[in-house]
Amino acid sequence: MPTHPQEPDRTATDPGARAPEGTGPAPRGDLPQPGPPRPEAADGGPGPDAAGPAPAEDEYTTAIQELEDRWRRALADLDNLRKRHARELERERAVERSRTAAAFLPVLDNLELALTHAGADPGAIVEGVRAVRDQAANVLELLGYPRHAESGVAFDPARHEVVGVVQDPDAAPGTVVEVLRPGYGDGERQLRPAAVTVAKRE
């Protein structure tokens, strides 16, 4: 019985021949393998995963310039406010000084009148000077500085300044015996305390 010669395996020598499925060599691990397709944007450009350009530096520069401009404007507004406040404060001080000086003008007028009649009755001069004194004290009281010259009251360190301690059997210990210099004002608006002598404590 005739036999046919066995055909050689073409897959070993013919590069164009396909090997049967499942029999080809396994892919090498060091060769690049194809990955999934990269997503594309709706307009056909690269998708969000594609490497894009870095953020533009001019945007940061513009933001910094805007902040610097706002900072400079705030400093200018603050300086203008400070200068305006200083001008208003000086104007208020000038107005207050003028008002205070005008309040004392009648006192000076009465002193001038008393000096004009210096050769008249001495008793009248004394009465005139006392009236001028009362008028000046009234002006200070209207300005917020009442006069304090009371004797026989309890010593108050906030209103009195002790310049002497005396022995007075008719005065209770620790009370004001004599006012040597009147005081004006109270509390934070005190011009000066009254200088007094105080009865000695036993």
Side-chain angles (χ1 to χ4, degrees):
M1 186 174 188
T3 61
H4 297 281
Q6 187 176 1
E7 294 183 359
D9 188 2
R10 296 178 59 188
T11 60
T13 59
D14 188 358
R18 295 182 60 185
E21 294 182 1
T23 61
R28 294 174 59 184
D30 57 348
L31 296 178
Q33 302 298 322
R38 187 181 302 275
E40 296 184 354
D43 56 357
D49 293 337
E57 293 185 359
D58 56 350
E59 296 181 1
Y60 296 105
T61 303
T62 302
I64 292 175
Q65 290 177 350
E66 291 179 355
L67 291 176
E68 289 180 350
D69 291 341
R70 292 173 60 184
W71 174 64
R72 291 191 179 95
R73 285 196 298 267
L75 285 181
D77 292 341
L78 181 61
D79 187 60
N80 292 334
L81 179 62
R82 180 184 60 80
K83 293 178 179 179
R84 183 168 60 252
H85 177 70
R87 290 193 299 267
E88 292 177 355
L89 183 60
E90 183 59 29
R91 183 166 54 250
E92 289 295 329
R93 288 175 177 173
V95 170
E96 188 64 24
R97 286 194 298 266
S98 176
R99 188 167 67 92
T100 303
F104 273 100
L105 287 179
V107 178
L108 291 176
D109 292 338
N110 288 333
L111 285 176
E112 294 285 353
L113 185 61
L115 291 175
T116 302
H117 297 83
D121 183 12
I125 295 177
V126 172
E127 291 297 328
V129 172
R130 183 178 290 110
V132 173
R133 189 274 315 271
D134 295 340
Q135 186 179 21
N138 184 59
V139 170
L140 286 174
E141 185 172 1
L142 292 176
L143 293 175
Y145 305 102
R147 184 173 186 267
H148 297 292
E150 304 86 359
S151 60
V153 298
F155 171 76
D156 184 357
R159 297 172 55 187
H160 301 133
E161 177 185 354
V162 178
V163 296
V165 178
V166 297
Q167 186 74 34
D168 190 345
D170 297 331
T175 59
V176 175
V177 176
E178 183 181 6
V179 177
L180 304 178
R181 186 190 64 199
Y184 293 92
D186 295 302
E188 295 181 356
R189 293 178 58 86
Q190 185 183 69
L191 289 178
R192 72 181 186 190
V196 299
T197 57
V198 180
K200 184 177 180 180
R201 296 181 182 273
E202 296 181 359

